Amino acid sequence: MKTIFFVLPAMSLGLALSASAQNAAKVGVIDIQGAIANTKEGQKAAADLQARFGPKKADLDKLQGQIGQLQDQLNRGRNTMSEDAQAKLAREIDQKTKQLNRETEDARGELDEAQRKVMNELGNRMLALVEKYARDNGYLLVLDVSSPQTPVIFAETAINITKEIVDRYDKSAPAVASTATPK
């Protein structure tokens, strides 16, 4: 009699599991940051940012080089330069280092703001497209795996919809002419 009580619940559980497997939830994962970066519009935005901030980076690199040269000059002349000349050179190095730090911080802030603006614009359109794609294709859940903080431990590549989203985004976005010059 006891075995019947154990067999019936086990059979019921088995039937319930097979029924739920037939109605399995469709789940997908997407690397949203990678998707945005891989769209034609995302690539153009990255090239535009590079063109916009490239000259500032070159200026900062030049200033860094000047500081390096002054430090080398100070190190080489420690035994031959007067204390006044060494102090003057040290002040110049300090002044240029402070200038470099301020300009680097300003440039980083400008770049971060420009990147945030681009990501918001493209991200909002991308999220709307992901939502439509998920609804049209019967997904009940789509997880973003682009961040290391995402609690996704494993995701089968078969459920990754990133490429389909990039393709649909590029089809739905207006044609983007590339301003990037080949290297």
Side-chain angles (χ1 to χ4, degrees):
M1 188 72 158
K2 281 187 176 181
T3 56
I4 293 176
F5 288 121
F6 289 115
V7 171
L8 286 176
M11 287 177 53
S12 298
L13 180 61
L15 290 173
L17 287 175
S18 80
S20 70
Q22 291 172 357
N23 296 326
K26 194 169 180 184
V27 176
V29 296
I30 185 170
D31 174 356
I32 200 81
Q33 291 176 357
I36 291 170
N38 285 314
T39 63
K40 292 174 185 166
E41 199 170 1
Q43 292 170 357
K44 181 186 181 306
D48 290 348
L49 287 173
Q50 178 64 33
R52 180 175 164 197
F53 290 96
K56 184 62 175 174
K57 183 183 180 321
D59 290 345
L60 293 172
D61 290 345
K62 182 179 176 184
L63 185 56
Q64 179 67 48
Q66 291 172 357
I67 294 169
Q69 288 174 346
L70 292 172
Q71 288 172 334
D72 287 345
Q73 182 181 351
L74 180 62
N75 290 335
R76 283 191 316 264
R78 289 227 185 256
N79 295 330
T80 58
M81 295 173 81
S82 69
E83 285 186 30
D84 287 343
Q86 288 181 32
K88 180 181 177 189
L89 200 52
R91 281 193 302 274
E92 187 177 356
I93 291 169
D94 187 47
Q95 173 197 16
K96 286 188 181 284
T97 300
K98 287 178 183 177
Q99 177 186 356
L100 175 68
N101 291 339
R102 279 192 304 269
E103 289 181 18
T104 299
E105 187 176 320
D106 290 347
R108 185 171 292 127
E110 289 176 35
L111 177 61
D112 288 348
E113 181 60 31
Q115 287 176 328
R116 196 172 14 264
K117 183 180 176 189
V118 167
M119 288 301 283
N120 283 339
E121 288 175 18
L122 299 179
N124 287 336
R125 289 194 296 246
M126 182 67 73
L127 290 177
L129 190 97
V130 169
E131 184 177 334
K132 181 176 179 354
Y133 177 87
R135 289 184 193 282
D136 292 350
N137 291 284
Y139 285 88
L140 298 178
L141 178 67
V142 176
L143 301 169
D144 179 11
V145 294
S146 60
S147 171
Q149 287 81 22
T150 304
V152 176
I153 304 300
F154 171 79
E156 178 60 49
T157 56
I159 64 171
N160 192 325
I161 62 172
T162 304
K163 177 153 179 25
E164 290 89 356
I165 296 299
V166 169
D167 292 343
R168 285 184 184 222
Y169 186 96
D170 284 343
K171 286 179 186 174
S172 69
V176 177
S178 177
T179 59
T181 57
K183 293 182 179 179

